[in-house]
Amino acid sequence: MKLAELTWPEMEKLDRNLVVVAPIASLEQHSRHLPFFTDTILCEGVVNHLEAALPEETLLLPVQWLGASSHHLGMAGTLSAENETYLRLIGEPLRCLLRHGFRRVFIINGHGGNIDGFHLALRQLAVEFPNALLSGASYWDLASQEIAGLLEGNRKGVGHACEFETSLMLHLRPELVRTSEIADDDLKPMSETMRQIYIPLDMKRQTSHGGTGQPTLATAKKGEALLGVIVARGIETLKAVRAATLS
């Protein structure tokens, strides 16, 4: 079920053990060949498939498109929430539903810059609602092994406007992909030691066109396969959250 399409009397009757699915994404630059709304389009594609597969077990919230994207602000058009604002954008809608008795939450994240924020938001909510099951993951982490097996390039996970994201966009919204502008990144490889430490990446300073990875290897067929494995693992995950014992 989709919250946005229900009425309040219909909501009042819902089983409070449904899994509240909260998708979060971003509006930020995606190199020269993908649109600003890429993360939101892809995340929405994933969650719509999950809701369609589990309509009686999930309550799907609208995608929260404003994310933590300060590392992309060097490119005009990127929109980003400040840290405190971002935590409230995640926590306050969920708090409303938790106060109305819902007890199972699963955040599905579609933007790497959101990870720290949604983890912290869940930890904050857990203090207030200790009897609820508060959980979440980036959608690509649900099927990381399967994704690695489908990608042909050196990067076996998600970059930015990369083989993975470009393939999914070619499958879901091919009319928005500027295929003539697709180019692989020119980042200098880091030493093994440097790869083990965290360095906040400013995309304007560190890239020539705002993307990382090898989008020249992207295909629509690959995007269809990637979406298939993500949705399959997502269904398994949501069923597990639905069946988990609550205190």
Side-chain angles (χ1 to χ4, degrees):
M1 282 165 283
K2 295 181 178 180
L3 173 62
E5 297 177 1
L6 298 174
T7 66
W8 79 261
E10 292 168 339
M11 273 289 294
E12 195 71 31
K13 297 175 184 177
L14 289 184
D15 179 359
R16 278 6 188 202
N17 274 314
L18 291 175
V19 181
V20 175
V21 178
I24 58 174
S26 73
L27 188 155
E28 63 185 26
Q29 72 80 28
H30 270 76
S31 187
R32 295 188 290 245
H33 66 281
L34 294 181
F36 284 101
F37 226 37
T38 291
D39 286 346
T40 299
I41 291 168
L42 299 184
C43 190
E44 190 164 48
V46 169
V47 297
N48 281 342
H49 277 77
L50 292 174
E51 187 275 336
L54 301 169
E56 302 302 320
E57 299 180 59
T58 57
L59 177 65
L60 177 60
L61 275 55
V63 178
Q64 172 53 256
W65 62 263
L66 184 59
S69 300
S70 60
H71 50 305
H72 292 277
L73 286 174
M75 282 83 158
T78 294
L79 304 182
S80 181
E82 297 293 337
N83 291 337
E84 290 185 4
T85 302
Y86 183 62
L87 291 176
R88 294 177 67 182
L89 285 171
I90 296 176
E92 292 185 8
L94 292 174
R95 187 174 286 109
C96 295
L97 293 171
L98 289 162
R99 286 174 177 167
H100 277 111
F102 290 91
R103 302 179 67 195
R104 302 174 193 271
V105 168
F106 193 84
I107 291 176
I108 296 186
N109 174 46
H111 165 53
N114 291 345
I115 294 172
D116 292 341
F118 92 75
H119 286 183
L120 181 55
L122 288 175
R123 290 200 298 271
Q124 290 177 343
L125 288 171
V127 174
E128 189 174 348
F129 302 95
N131 295 323
L133 175 56
L134 306 172
S135 58
S138 299
Y139 68 79
W140 52 85
D141 286 336
L142 299 176
S144 57
Q145 292 184 350
E146 294 91 337
I147 289 169
L150 290 168
L151 296 177
E152 299 177 82
N154 297 327
R155 182 187 290 271
K156 297 303 180 182
V158 182
H160 188 71
C162 55
E163 178 186 2
F164 175 84
E165 290 189 325
T166 305
S167 291
L168 284 171
M169 283 294 291
L170 285 169
H171 171 56
L172 290 170
R173 295 294 302 274
E175 76 280 8
L176 296 179
V177 181
R178 284 71 164 172
T179 54
S180 63
E181 297 289 340
I182 293 175
D184 294 342
D185 69 41
D186 54 2
L187 294 177
K188 295 179 180 178
M190 290 185 178
S191 68
E192 187 63 32
T193 300
M194 292 293 286
R195 281 198 293 267
Q196 307 308 314
I197 63 176
Y198 173 69
I199 302 174
L201 178 65
D202 182 296
M203 295 297 288
K204 182 66 179 292
R205 292 175 55 196
Q206 300 295 327
T207 69
S208 62
H209 55 80
T212 64
Q214 296 171 275
T216 55
L217 297 174
T219 67
K221 183 177 180 180
K222 191 180 298 179
E224 182 179 13
L226 288 165
L227 183 61
V229 298
I230 292 165
V231 170
R233 293 290 290 148
I235 291 170
E236 292 178 9
T237 301
L238 290 177
K239 284 184 175 180
V241 173
R242 179 76 165 82
T245 302
L246 297 178
S247 58

